[in-house]
Amino acid sequence: MGELDPAASAATRQEIGKTSWFARHRHHLAVFGISLCIFAATSADRMLRQSQGPHFVYQADAFLHGMAELRVKPPNNNDWIRYEGKDYVSFPPGPAVLMMPGVALFGLSFNDVLFTLIFAALNVLLMLCVLEMLVAEGLASLSASERLWMTALFGFGTLHYCCAVLGEVWFTAQILGVTFTLSYILCATRARHPLLAGIFLALAFDTRVNLAFTAIYFGLQLVFPLRDGQPAAGRLSQLAEKLALFCLPILCMGAAQMAFNHIRFHSVFEFGHSYLAGPAGTRIAKHGLFAYHYLEWNLRAMLLRLPVLLEDFPYLGYNADGMSIFLTTPVFVRLFWPRERPWLYPVLWAAAIAGILPPLFYQNSGYVQFGYRFSLDVTPYLVMLLAVGRIPMNRWTKGLILVSIAVNLAGAIAFKRTGPI
C-alpha cells in the first residue's frame, strides 16, 4: 500500500479542523445569525440607508484624509460642533476608527445602520459567552436553555434592542460600548487576560467615556476572591505585573484622546461639548457639563418616568425623556431578591454603580430615547447579577422576560417612526 501524499494529508487534517471548529461553535454561530436576522427584520427600511446621525462616518472620513476637523459640511445641525470656523464631532472617536475601512470603500454614504446591526448581533453572542464563562467558573448554575433565556433577555428584552436597529451616533456608541464592555468582562474576570482587558476597556471608554470607571471591575478581581487569606489572582509581584499590563493600553488610549482634544479645542479635557448650541449649550454654560443640578432629572428618567397617555390607539406612548428601567425591562425587579451572593456579586454591583454614576450627573438624560439609554452601559453587569444571584428561572421569571421582550420589541419598531410622543 502506498504512502499518503503529505500535502493531501495536511489538507485533509486542515479540512477536519475546519469542520470540527464549525461543529463546536454551531450554536454560537446560530445565535449570531438568528440575532442578526431579527435585528435586520426589525430595522426594516431603516437599514437600507444611512441614518440621520452619521457623525462617526464623517469623522472616519476626516481621519482618512489626515484631518481632525471635518472635511465636508455636516448634513444637519444635530449635535455637531462649530469651533473657530471648523466643524467637529464631539463624540469619542472609537467607532469612527472602526468605520474607516468601510468609509474608505463607500465614502460618506457608508451605511452606519448596517454597521451597528452587526455589532448588536455580536453583543448577543458575547453575552452568551459571558454566561457560559460564569457557569464554567462555578459562579452561576444556568442550564443550556436557561443561558439562552438570559441571552434573549439581554439582546431583546433590554434597551439594547431599540438601540441596535437605528444606527445614529448616539445609539451606535451605546452598542459598541457594550461590545467592548462584554469583551472586557470576558478578559477581566479572575484577571485572566490583563493586557486584553486593558485594551478592551480602553476601546470602551473611547466610545463611552463613563465606562472608564468600570476599571473597578478588574481592580477588584485582583483582590477577590481570597484563598487562604491571599488574593486568588496571585502573589503581590504577579498582581503588580497584571495591573501594569492592564494599565498600559489604558494610559496610551487616554494620552491619544487627550492629544486629539488639544489639537481640536486647545484643552486636553475638552471633547467639544462646551461648544454645543441650543438648549444643551445653555445648560452647560449655566451649570456645567456634569453637575448635581442634573441628578434628580436623570434619576427620574432612569427609575420613575412613565409612558405618556395618547388619545388614540395604542393609548400609551413612550416618553422621549426616558422611562423607568423597571418598565422597559420588568425582570430587573428580580435584582432585589437574589438567592445567593457569591464573591462576584458585590464586584458586579460596584462596576454597575461606577459605570452609571457619571451619566446621572450629566447635562442630558439621553433625550430622544425609548427608555433611559445610558443604563445600557451597565446592562451586561445587571444581567450577570441575575445569573450570579441564581435567580430561579421559573415561570414567573420567564414571564417577566417575555414581557421585557414584548416591551422592547414595541419600542424597537415604534421608536423614531412615530416620533417622540
Side-chain angles (χ1 to χ4, degrees), residues 204-239:
F205 75 68
D206 206 44
T207 301
R208 295 278 302 151
V209 177
N210 58 296
L211 293 175
F213 293 89
T214 61
I216 192 173
Y217 182 77
F218 180 85
L220 291 174
Q221 302 290 326
L222 297 176
V223 180
F224 300 104
L226 296 177
R227 185 177 299 158
D228 298 327
Q230 299 294 325
R235 298 177 180 177
L236 184 60
S237 59
Q238 294 173 310
L239 299 182

